[in-house]
Amino acid sequence: MSLGTVAVVGGGVIGQSVAWRAATAGHRVSLVDPAPGSGASRVAGGMLAPLSEAWPGEEDLLDLGRAALAHWPRFAARLTAATGGDPGLRTEGTVLVGLDSADRAELDRLAEHLAGLGHAPEKLTGRQVRALEPGIGPEVRSGLLLAEDLSVDNRAVLAELAEAGRRAGVEAVAGRAVAVRGNRIRLADGSTVDADVVVLACGAWSAGLHPSLHAVRPVKGEVLRLRARPSALPPPQRTVRALVQGRPSYLVPRAGGGLVLGATQYEAGHDTEVTVAGVRDLLRDAERVLPGIAEYALVECAAGLRPGTPDNLPLIGWLEPGLVVATGHHRNGFLLAPITAEAVLALLDDRPPPAPVLAADPHRLALTREPLSGVSR
Amino acid sequence: MSLGTVAVVGGGVIGQSVAWRAATAGHRVSLVDPAPGSGASRVAGGMLAPLSEAWPGEEDLLDLGRAALAHWPRFAARLTAATGGDPGLRTEGTVLVGLDSADRAELDRLAEHLAGLGHAPEKLTGRQVRALEPGIGPEVRSGLLLAEDLSVDNRAVLAELAEAGRRAGVEAVAGRAVAVRGNRIRLADGSTVDADVVVLACGAWSAGLHPSLHAVRPVKGEVLRLRARPSALPPPQRTVRALVQGRPSYLVPRAGGGLVLGATQYEAGHDTEVTVAGVRDLLRDAERVLPGIAEYALVECAAGLRPGTPDNLPLIGWLEPGLVVATGHHRNGFLLAPITAEAVLALLDDRPPPAPVLAADPHRLALTREPLSGVSR
């Protein structure tokens, strides 16, 4: 079966997931990116954590995230079947912890919110937290166990997606897109790429490519990569998300003693430099949660630009004839990649996407329906 | 004029300086190193600071260091003449600063010691320190101005030395030495390199190459490289060396807004991993000295292994027939490279080396004269 041609712009986890799935469904797919897998997806922590990030008023996002999480086991199995590799899906769950009483109150609010939605998490004392994860330090006084929230190894997923895409016949186009209109992509060298359908998946760079996407803004996140040295305590089994006197922090374990550490977010434009203050704060807060990391090797400091939207929901759907968008996934690119790929496949086939994706209709934002004239970008 | 053949083992700043100078003097020189310029010399801060590190009982080292510093301007000019490049010699001097009263007492002891040797430094109040270097923070209460202590850009020096060596005809041998006996080098692949004279300049790896060098031990130093962002205060003009409640810290400016930050030392074997605790401590202490670095980019974290000796003096001289050693330079590799190269040139020509180098005679250590039997390496 040969269907139409699809050109995906952007080789992050969203673009690569869409390209691979579309190619296996019979489309002729090209992927336009000068350096696939080198942007925010490479820096990401890889948390699949819809419950941990649930927030009153964002029920649509929670529904989308939970539906997305349910897609992951099959997506991971398909990847492994396609490549023989392992995307590093960890099923040990997530423990949220807090230090002071205000942190505990914040965890209690989250627990109450989730209980109202039918997902009551287990509340833990500091002692119970340490019984689960012995490396957690004495300053931690409270916790919640969220067995549903998982993680993947973001770099393993990117490597598997690249390999799976190659095997499925995805054609790599190493150009940098500078504009997308309908089903035509203009590249920096002045050439164009045309396809039956273009899928725009450029994350934090989307606003510069199409005027209706100007509400997508870059949100900088600094992430450190550590590795347990032979003399140090091993990393936790679960993802540990902490409130350290109000400041969020996360520590995501990897196979082989790796630990990914993040939290800082800045609205700072297209700036991917890591700052002294960012690293200092990340290390300080993380050491209060897991004191043993003092003896870990600091392997890498990096920053990525997540694509934020005004309501924190992504933009997934037809933007105009010939153009599907799949962007604005903010901190949830890995979580949402499988369901986004399924949704885009459905749109390409004139089928309805999974119901929770409807809330991500790109036309929901008034500004994208009627772009302000003269908006500067 | 064609003199004999010289094989230099080790492509750090010492080995490359020796190789270049020997080649320009007419020797046929080969430089044996699988990756020249990639070890401790690449990580170094590049301070040329004999006075700042003066210590009672180490007058020989101070004499050697001051003589070495006097060689630098001509060495730098020769390098520039050879390559057209710039090794980044900065002549703005060094300011030592202290925070608490114990730090001030330590600075006073150094000032008194130097005064007794005829180099009385200028004592400064915190206010005077900030008048010299406005970026220095309010916690700094005292200081010393050491106009004689300078710095070079270590990576620029390595690049210029590599280029100058190529132009002078130094032959690169990309093998890894595993043993040196007399004028024969054995490589990891089982082959040997012979020369009229071998110069062993393997820094922290020296002990493994010759049994008489077993007292040379690796001393780990962690070094961060920062860069001022456009919005941040510029780096200081001078090298800033600080005592932060007893902990030493140094901040060495580079052209273009760079700042090299170091201090930590560990006796940790051949371990070049950077640890969370090391980075945390470096940043914490440095921010107390120069608060504006919080907004600097953190560009690189690395660790190098300096070659320590029991008396902190290097080993420069004939070890046995056919074998000159030039190692054990500890924290002073860049400072001592020009005078070490001159000393080795003199030895190759049967001339006496510069007088202050005599204290670095490798036979001064009893253990190198009579190696203990059964010492394990």
Side-chain angles (χ1 to χ4, degrees), chain B residues 122-199:
Chain B
E122 185 183 347
K123 288 194 188 186
L124 305 170
T125 63
R127 184 176 299 191
Q128 289 170 322
V129 166
R130 280 179 286 279
L132 289 175
E133 296 292 353
I136 288 181
E139 284 197 271
V140 166
R141 299 283 189 78
S142 59
L144 294 179
L145 182 59
L146 292 174
E148 284 186 53
D149 279 0
L150 311 180
S151 73
V152 288
D153 181 331
N154 63 313
R155 292 183 181 178
V157 171
L158 290 172
E160 300 306 322
L161 282 173
E163 178 61 22
R166 267 191 297 273
R167 294 191 185 188
V170 172
E171 182 203 359
V173 177
R176 187 169 65 81
V178 294
V180 177
R181 296 293 183 276
N183 57 352
R184 168 164 289 189
I185 305 163
R186 191 153 52 81
L187 301 183
D189 65 4
S191 65
T192 56
V193 176
D194 294 285
D196 293 331
V197 177
V198 167
V199 181

Side-chain angles (χ1 to χ4, degrees), chain B residues 9 31 66 109 158 246 337 343:
Chain B
V9 195
L31 179 68
R66 295 196 65 232
R109 272 193 290 277
L158 290 172

Side-chain angles (χ1 to χ4, degrees), chain A residues 299-321:
Chain A
V299 178
E300 185 186 312
C301 308
L305 298 173
R306 293 115 167 194
T309 65
D311 60 4
N312 290 337
L313 274 166
L315 307 176
I316 306 170
W318 289 102
L319 189 66
E320 59 193 31

Side-chain angles (χ1 to χ4, degrees), chain A residues 208-221:
Chain A
L209 297 181
H210 194 289
S212 294
L213 300 175
H214 68 275
V216 180
R217 71 190 195 284
V219 180
K220 180 179 175 181

Side-chain angles (χ1 to χ4, degrees), chain A residues 2 114 153 245 247 275 302 307 372:
Chain A
S2 182
L114 291 174
D153 181 332
Q245 297 179 323
R247 294 180 303 274
T275 64
L372 291 171

Side-chain angles (χ1 to χ4, degrees), chain A residues 220 226-227 229 271 273-277 279-280 283 287 293-298 301, chain B residues 220 226-227 229 271 273-277 279-280 283 287 293-298 301:
Chain A
K220 180 179 175 181
L226 316 184
R227 193 181 58 252
R229 287 154 59 87
D271 164 21
E273 285 189 329
V274 175
T275 64
V276 165
V279 173
R280 168 246 287 160
L283 293 181
E287 280 196 73
I293 65 168
E295 300 311 318
Y296 280 32
L298 177 57
C301 308
Chain B
K220 179 180 175 181
L226 316 185
R227 194 180 59 251
R229 287 154 59 89
D271 164 20
E273 285 190 329
V274 174
T275 64
V276 165
V279 173
R280 168 246 286 160
L283 293 180
E287 280 196 74
I293 65 169
E295 301 310 318
Y296 281 32
L298 178 57
C301 308

Side-chain angles (χ1 to χ4, degrees), chain B residues 1 5 39 46 49 67 78 88-89 104 113 132 145 162 165 192 218 223 228 250 257-258 282 299 348 366:
Chain B
M1 178 181 65
T5 58
R78 274 183 171 147
L89 177 63
R104 180 203 306 256
H113 175 57
L132 289 175
L145 182 59
T192 56
V223 177
Y250 60 79
L282 275 171
V299 178
L348 293 175

